[in-house]
Amino acid sequence: MKKIAIFGSTGSIGKSLLNIIKKDKKDFKIELLTANKNYKSLIKQAKFFDVKNIIIADNNSFLITKKLLKNSKIKVFKNFESLNKIFNINKKIDYSMCAISGFQGLKPTLDIIKFTKTVAIANKESIICGWNLIKKDLKRYKTYFIPVDSEHFSIWSLLNNDKKNNFEKIYITASGGPFRKLSLKKFKNISIKDALKHPNWSMGKKISIDSATMMNKVFEIIEAKKIFNVNYNQLEILIHPNSYLHAIVKFNNGLSKFLVHDTNMIIPIFNSIYFNTDKKLRSKNIDIEALNNLNLKTVDNIRYPAIKILNNIGEKDSLFETIIVSANDKLVDLFLKNKIKFTDIANILLKICNIPEFNKFRSIKPKNIGEINDLVNYVSLKTDAMCV
Ligand code: NDP
């Protein structure tokens, strides 16, 4: 029986993982589930899967949950400090999924590494802003890491644990979002509703806007650079409208391999939890039509100016990446509140990249979470002020 923990179990990734586990409930013992505010769903999950421990981060929701579970065997905790009370470093659990959204995902990701044999990370902010810290802890506690973001999961599968870096280049694909064919003249009038209409994936608002601006791919390139320890010139984005092909790796021996699967996060999630087993996933046959219509193109920085940000980031891991993630978070929020235009997102981000005050962060590696959080808050306020 695999012992597991799911951080962000009430979210889209968390629920997909629970749906996989539901099919073989007896093979798993869920030690911990977590949520922020959604106590109703968390309590339901905990009861259904017979979970002993839950963490609910929002204070009000914690108090309600505590009251509701007063006479239950389920232990309710409020913050991630409590991991020390739940887990034992000498008896590591088998698998943990880190699927909390946003910057708040970094702390629990760092906290669980010492208590788990394998950590699967979906949360992009953890990797972009905290990879330096995560990498150290993975090594220190001998914890195995599996990336869950679909492109990174594909690259990881193609590299097949190759630690020698026997490859020259990695290509990741982008659908091009809802504005792949929109006349450039119409960009200034893009509405919130238009920007939320992703052609292939059904996702939350924030990530849908990031797909429309291409910031999602900018983040994925930064993630890939860190996870696979390559230079930016070894990474390229290719537009691929039907999102069937996720990544291509060109190896040193002349071979190139690519990975295709349906646009369904179940596939990377399933393979992360059943890694190294011969467990079968019922899936569709190969989509010949999609293969015949790969239609790959290089990405155009006039349509997608956000990708120019990649020329502004230095090769070294630094706090500069945190600036970009935080500013983008704020800008997406302002766009969704109708306070700025769609085109402002990339334009302001490019301005932020050139603010002299931020230059020094290009050579500073994050030393702890406090440093990352302080910078996130500062950049958020600064970005807000730039948009008034
Ligand atoms: P959701 O927004 O659907 O779920 C987020 C989860 O995190 C929920 O359980 C939520 O709890 C919890 N949460 C949110 N804020 C906090 C907080 N402050 N403290 C503690 N818990 C919190 O996100 P997704 O499942 O879609 O994505 C999770 C991560 O995976 C993101 O970083 C995303 O970028 C990444 N990802 C997602 C993909 C997808 O297809 N969905 C694909 C690839 C990567 P509550 O329900 O109570 O709000």
Side-chain angles (χ1 to χ4, degrees):
M1 209 186 222
K2 264 191 174 180
K3 290 188 173 174
I4 71 161
I6 307 174
F7 293 82
S9 62
T10 52
S12 151
I13 299 274
K15 282 195 275 195
S16 300
L17 175 55
L18 285 173
N19 279 334
I20 294 169
I21 291 171
K22 202 158 121 188
K23 299 199 174 102
D24 284 296
K25 229 171 135 190
K26 62 176 182 349
D27 292 348
F28 298 95
K29 174 84 196 96
I30 305 179
E31 299 285 335
L32 170 71
L33 293 176
T34 86
N36 186 32
K37 290 188 177 173
N38 197 346
Y39 63 88
K40 283 188 186 155
S41 170
L42 185 66
I43 293 175
K44 217 164 147 190
Q45 291 176 343
K47 287 186 174 163
F48 183 83
F49 289 97
D50 196 16
V51 180
K52 264 192 286 174
N53 306 291
I54 58 175
I55 296 178
I56 182 128
D58 173 72
N59 191 42
N60 202 28
S61 310
F62 164 75
L63 295 173
I64 300 172
T65 311
K66 196 90 184 139
K67 212 166 162 186
L68 288 171
L69 294 179
K70 204 169 55 189
N71 299 318
S72 143
K73 276 188 277 177
I74 303 170
K75 287 189 193 147
V76 188
F77 298 94
K78 186 175 167 299
N79 57 42
F80 297 101
E81 313 298 337
S82 14
L83 294 188
N84 286 317
K85 294 182 196 146
I86 302 170
F87 301 111
N88 177 346
I89 198 162
N90 298 314
K91 280 190 191 162
K92 281 183 158 200
I93 57 167
D94 296 286
Y95 171 98
S96 300
M97 165 62 85
C98 297
I100 288 177
S101 51
F103 287 105
Q104 300 307 322
L106 177 57
K107 181 167 167 42
T109 300
L110 282 168
D111 288 346
I112 194 63
I113 290 177
K114 57 170 140 339
F115 296 115
T116 187
K117 290 179 194 162
T118 295
V119 64
I121 306 180
N123 174 257
K124 290 175 199 276
E125 287 82 356
S126 290
I127 294 174
I128 298 174
C129 307
W131 183 246
N132 182 41
L133 308 172
I134 292 173
K135 201 169 59 176
K136 270 190 212 143
D137 281 358
L138 291 174
K139 201 168 164 195
R140 179 167 174 207
Y141 298 108
K142 299 188 174 61
T143 301
Y144 194 68
F145 160 67
I146 304 181
V148 174
D149 212 348
S150 62
E151 290 72 11
H152 306 86
F153 178 79
S154 298
I155 300 164
W156 178 83
S157 304
L158 289 167
L159 294 177
N160 200 13
N161 235 345
D162 172 9
K163 298 239 166 55
K164 291 183 227 121
N165 281 15
N166 269 335
F167 56 90
E168 289 168 13
K169 192 138 184 169
I170 296 172
Y171 298 86
I172 63 175
T173 57
S175 70
F179 309 128
R180 187 172 54 87
K181 288 184 173 168
L182 187 76
S183 148
L184 292 176
K185 282 186 218 138
K186 294 191 176 159
F187 267 65
K188 58 180 185 298
N189 298 322
I190 287 172
S191 71
I192 300 171
K193 201 170 150 220
D194 296 335
L196 287 173
K197 264 188 237 145
H198 194 277
N200 307 336
W201 298 89
S202 147
M203 304 182 294
K205 285 186 180 178
K206 158 76 171 51
I207 194 165
S208 298
I209 303 300
D210 286 346
S211 297
T213 57
M214 201 56 84
M215 272 314 284
N216 189 42
K217 280 309 132 175
V218 169
F219 292 143
E220 287 176 5
I221 290 280
I222 303 173
E223 271 186 88
K225 180 192 182 294
K226 293 181 184 235
I227 299 172
F228 305 107
N229 195 19
V230 290
N231 296 321
Y232 281 117
N233 64 13
Q234 290 177 277
L235 294 161
E236 190 167 335
I237 304 169
L238 293 174
I239 299 283
H240 164 47
N242 63 19
S243 300
Y244 191 49
L245 190 160
H246 302 276
I248 307 174
V249 177
K250 177 171 185 328
F251 291 89
N252 289 343
N253 61 3
L255 292 178
S256 292
K257 296 184 186 176
F258 67 68
L259 195 139
V260 294
H261 69 74
D262 293 332
T263 50
N264 185 344
M265 281 305 291
I266 289 286
I267 295 172
I269 298 170
F270 174 93
N271 280 283
S272 76
I273 193 151
Y274 282 112
F275 171 60
N276 256 348
T277 71
D278 49 15
K279 183 80 181 170
K280 194 173 168 189
L281 172 69
R282 281 168 69 94
S283 55
K284 288 187 200 159
N285 288 336
I286 280 193
D287 185 343
I288 304 284
E289 203 174 318
L291 274 178
N292 281 335
N293 287 296
L294 291 179
N295 201 7
L296 298 164
K297 285 194 181 72
T298 53
V299 67
D300 156 12
N301 68 12
I302 296 174
R303 182 168 296 276
Y304 304 107
I307 61 164
K308 288 192 250 173
I309 288 168
L310 288 169
N311 304 328
N312 276 285
I313 308 171
E315 289 287 347
K316 284 187 190 154
D317 272 11
S318 75
L319 280 166
F320 195 70
E321 288 104 67
T322 299
I323 295 177
I324 294 165
V325 180
S326 173
N328 180 65
D329 252 22
K330 185 75 216 177
L331 292 166
V332 171
D333 183 50
L334 291 172
F335 170 67
L336 288 171
K337 288 178 176 151
N338 219 357
K339 293 194 172 156
I340 58 170
K341 285 194 210 152
F342 179 80
T343 44
D344 289 335
I345 301 177
N347 290 340
I348 298 173
L349 276 171
L350 285 162
K351 273 190 199 151
I352 287 174
C353 283
N354 291 308
I355 293 180
E357 180 193 357
F358 291 149
N359 232 338
K360 64 172 187 245
F361 292 102
R362 292 173 194 275
S363 55
I364 305 177
K365 274 192 184 185
K367 287 193 274 309
N368 52 53
I369 299 192
E371 220 176 25
I372 295 173
N373 286 340
D374 289 348
L375 188 59
V376 166
N377 294 335
Y378 179 73
V379 173
S380 183
L381 290 172
K382 177 104 189 166
T383 310
D384 207 18
M386 282 174 77
C387 297
V388 177

